[in-house]
């Protein structure tokens, strides 16, 4: 029988391979203890792909990604490749994958785990219990809209310009992702734009409202101006469940929501494509939000939890393995509650450990939880 758990792993550069190794430990555990077998392929991406294949993401890697049920991505980039021209940089590897797989909905959870509540720069009372999912449209809007450029005017002065443009279908498909997510969470979507000053924002609000009325009346919809949302995230973040935004506002607000948790090494993400109407499947890529951290690469001290939590998202959204996803998330919570910390989340009185010990501890907790 063909596998429906075809997984492509692209470790990338810097700490990418180090943290992905810890996910392999979790995968081995699932194979051993829960009899879940994945069909795994690996590939090169980023700087390591430039070194071997001459390009940050080869056609062969894209083909593998297209035929996989999900892609687990590490991170790319590093000083070795910093002097390359823009069109050859490692970061283009991830951009090509997003574009070629049509990954338009970026999901970034901002979850404040109780043991790490002091890691936030906000007061514990404000952030304790925060559990937000930011859904960002990631292939349209002002980062791609035409015309764009810098021109020199007749008086010799320069003028820079970009275009924020959205087709209603682009808004509708990402809105559906947000509403579907809200149904599985606490049933509320906050859609952000600047409908007061932007035409594309007016259309955004109208289309989200139409989709809501026609298909998701059971979900609560709230419209909020993006600047107000930024303020509310800092003052009353617990009011939010799912935040839906365009490429620009989603980018800024997901970083702000991430900052509430105070720890880059803890945050996973997913980017989803459209559901294929014939197979019911969708392309999806899962990665931590952090980069390749060249400053600590090779030292064995990187926090593997964001990568492991990205794998939990993959189990949930691509393989429908809710129970296993929750188990992995619980194991991470238990390890933190037990006092283990990598250097990036170190707190007084806790035990400092490296990447491998942290990965092993997660597997030990998985064992205990499923005993
Ligand atoms: P970064 O996220 O790599 O690192 C920022 C800081 O956080 C560093 O001090 C790093 O040591 C620390 N850090 C990050 N992840 C950590 C982890 N898991 N455990 C412990 N500490 C961690 O961001 P940067 O320094 O701006 O970028 C470094 C490289 O990564 C650049 O080449 C950049 O282009 C690339 N990058 C890639 C991606 C991606 O692959 N999607 C995303 C962001 C940055």
């Amino acid at each position: 029988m063909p596998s429906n758990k075809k997984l492509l792993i692209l470790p990338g550069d810097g700490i990418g391979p180090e943290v992905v190794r810890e996910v392999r430990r979790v995968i081995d555990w699932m194979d051993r203890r829960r009899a879940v077998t994945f069909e795994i392929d690996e590939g090169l991406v980023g700087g390591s792909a430039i070194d071997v294949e001459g390009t940050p993401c080869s056609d062969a890697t894209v083909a593998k990604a297209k035929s996989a049920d999900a892609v687990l991505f590490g991170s790319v980039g590093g000083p070795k490749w910093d002097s390359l021209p823009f069109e050859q940089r490692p970061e283009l590897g991830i951009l090509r994958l997003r574009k070629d797989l049509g990954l338009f909905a970026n999901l970034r959870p901002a979850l404040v785990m109780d043991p790490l509540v002091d890691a936030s720069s906000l007061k514990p009372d404000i952030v304790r219990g925060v559990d937000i999912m930011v859904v960002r449209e990631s292939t349209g809007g002002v980062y791609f809209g035409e015309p764009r450029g810098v021109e020199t005017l007749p008086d010799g002065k320069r003028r820079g310009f970009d275009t924020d443009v959205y087709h209603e279908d682009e808004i509708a498909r990402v809105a559906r992702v947000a509403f579907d997510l809200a149904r599985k969470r606490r049933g509320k979507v906050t859609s952000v734009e600047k409908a007061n000053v932007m035409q594309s924002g007016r259309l955004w609000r109208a289309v989200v409202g139409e989709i809501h009325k026609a298909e998701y009346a059971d979900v609560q919809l709230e419209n909020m101006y993006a600047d107000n949302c930024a303020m509310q995230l800092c003052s009353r973040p617990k009011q939010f469940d799912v935040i839906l935004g365009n490429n620009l506002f989603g980018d800024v607000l997901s970083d702000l929501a991430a900052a509430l948790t105070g720890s880059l090494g803890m945050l996973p993400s997913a980017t989803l494509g459209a559901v294929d109407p014939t197979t019911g499947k969708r392309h999806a890529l899962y990665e931590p939000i952090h980069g390749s951290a060249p400053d600590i690469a090779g030292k064995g001290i990187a926090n593997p939890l964001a990568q492991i939590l990205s794998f939990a998202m993959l189990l949930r959204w691509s393989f429908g393995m809710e129970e296993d996803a929750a188990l992995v998330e619980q194991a991470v919570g238990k390890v933190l509650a037990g006092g283990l910390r990598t250097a990036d989340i170190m707190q007084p009185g806790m035990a400092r450990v490296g990447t491998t010990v942290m990965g092993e501890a997660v597997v030990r907790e998985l064992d205990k939880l499923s005993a």
Side-chain angles (χ1 to χ4, degrees):
M1 210 173 78
S3 161
N4 62 351
K5 296 192 182 62
K6 272 178 81 177
L7 177 60
L8 175 66
I9 301 186
L10 300 172
D13 311 317
I15 62 167
E18 300 172 34
V19 291
V20 163
R21 202 171 301 132
E22 301 313 311
V23 174
R24 292 302 284 251
R25 214 182 280 287
V26 174
I27 291 176
D28 288 346
W29 178 87
M30 294 185 75
D31 196 7
R32 221 170 41 242
R33 292 296 305 272
R34 294 181 70 85
V36 180
T37 306
F38 299 97
E39 194 185 317
I40 297 179
D41 199 356
E42 268 214 27
L44 295 172
V45 72
S48 50
I50 293 173
D51 289 350
V52 177
E53 299 172 342
T55 168
C57 185
S58 65
D59 293 346
T61 301
V62 171
K64 279 184 189 183
K66 281 188 174 167
S67 75
D69 294 311
V71 179
L72 184 74
F73 188 94
S75 49
V76 292
K80 181 177 175 194
W81 305 281
D82 273 352
S83 53
L84 289 174
F86 181 76
E87 26 344 308
Q88 292 167 24
R89 304 234 338 166
E91 289 77 3
L92 291 183
I94 181 72
L95 294 184
R96 176 164 187 205
L97 282 168
R98 284 188 194 140
K99 184 164 165 285
D100 287 12
L101 298 185
L103 304 174
F104 63 87
N106 183 225
L107 275 51
R108 279 180 46 174
L111 176 72
V112 175
M113 293 196 177
D114 221 34
L116 294 183
V117 81
D118 291 323
S120 174
S121 52
L122 295 188
K123 292 189 191 104
D125 276 358
I126 292 184
V127 294
R128 184 172 286 113
V130 160
D131 179 1
I132 301 169
M133 179 71 83
V134 181
V135 178
R136 163 191 173 191
E137 199 293 325
S138 55
T139 51
V142 72
Y143 294 167
F144 298 96
E146 298 284 347
R148 61 201 343 252
V150 177
E151 64 183 7
T152 303
L153 300 171
D155 65 359
K157 300 280 187 194
R158 285 161 303 163
R159 194 173 79 111
F161 52 98
D162 297 279
T163 306
D164 201 359
V165 55
Y166 271 104
H167 188 284
E168 65 173 282
D169 291 350
E170 290 176 298
I171 302 170
R173 65 181 184 175
V174 75
R176 288 193 179 96
V177 171
F179 286 124
D180 283 339
L181 272 164
R183 270 192 182 145
K184 293 184 181 155
R185 292 170 49 96
R186 299 189 301 282
K188 179 176 171 190
V189 171
T190 304
S191 174
V192 302
E193 23 61 13
K194 291 282 290 177
N196 49 344
V197 286
M198 293 174 71
Q199 293 299 335
S200 56
R202 278 182 58 194
L203 181 68
W204 184 278
R205 185 176 287 211
V207 174
V208 171
E210 287 154 18
I211 297 288
H212 174 246
K213 195 166 164 213
E215 302 170 35
Y216 297 94
D218 54 310
V219 176
Q220 186 191 345
L221 170 65
E222 172 187 45
N223 295 300
M224 192 179 272
Y225 296 137
D227 46 347
N228 184 26
C229 181
M231 199 171 67
Q232 299 283 333
L233 269 171
C234 296
S235 53
R236 290 199 307 117
K238 275 180 255 191
Q239 69 184 285
F240 296 108
D241 177 14
V242 175
I243 296 177
L244 166 67
N246 70 13
N247 208 342
L248 174 63
F249 296 139
D251 187 5
V252 175
L253 294 172
S254 61
D255 265 25
L256 179 49
L260 297 177
T261 71
S263 44
L264 204 58
M266 293 295 306
L267 296 168
S269 77
T271 323
L272 310 178
V275 175
D276 181 325
T278 42
T279 62
K281 288 184 177 186
R282 70 185 337 153
H283 290 308
L285 182 145
Y286 301 83
E287 57 177 329
I289 71 159
H290 62 70
S292 57
D295 53 333
I296 58 165
K299 295 185 178 162
I301 59 171
N303 185 348
L305 296 180
Q307 190 78 57
I308 291 175
L309 291 170
S310 302
F311 180 64
M313 284 187 90
L314 181 154
L315 293 175
R316 176 172 291 124
W317 297 112
S318 282
F319 296 161
M321 296 167 66
E322 174 58 41
E323 196 188 323
D324 298 80
L327 203 65
V328 172
E329 288 162 354
Q330 276 171 37
V332 168
K334 291 262 182 201
V335 168
L336 295 171
L340 297 194
R341 299 284 186 275
T342 41
D344 56 310
I345 51 172
M346 187 57 193
Q347 293 162 301
M350 301 292 152
R352 183 189 295 239
V353 297
T355 313
T356 310
V357 173
M358 190 57 113
E360 286 169 349
V362 171
V363 169
R364 242 188 338 272
E365 289 300 337
L366 283 170
D367 258 334
K368 283 193 217 158
L369 284 166
S370 62

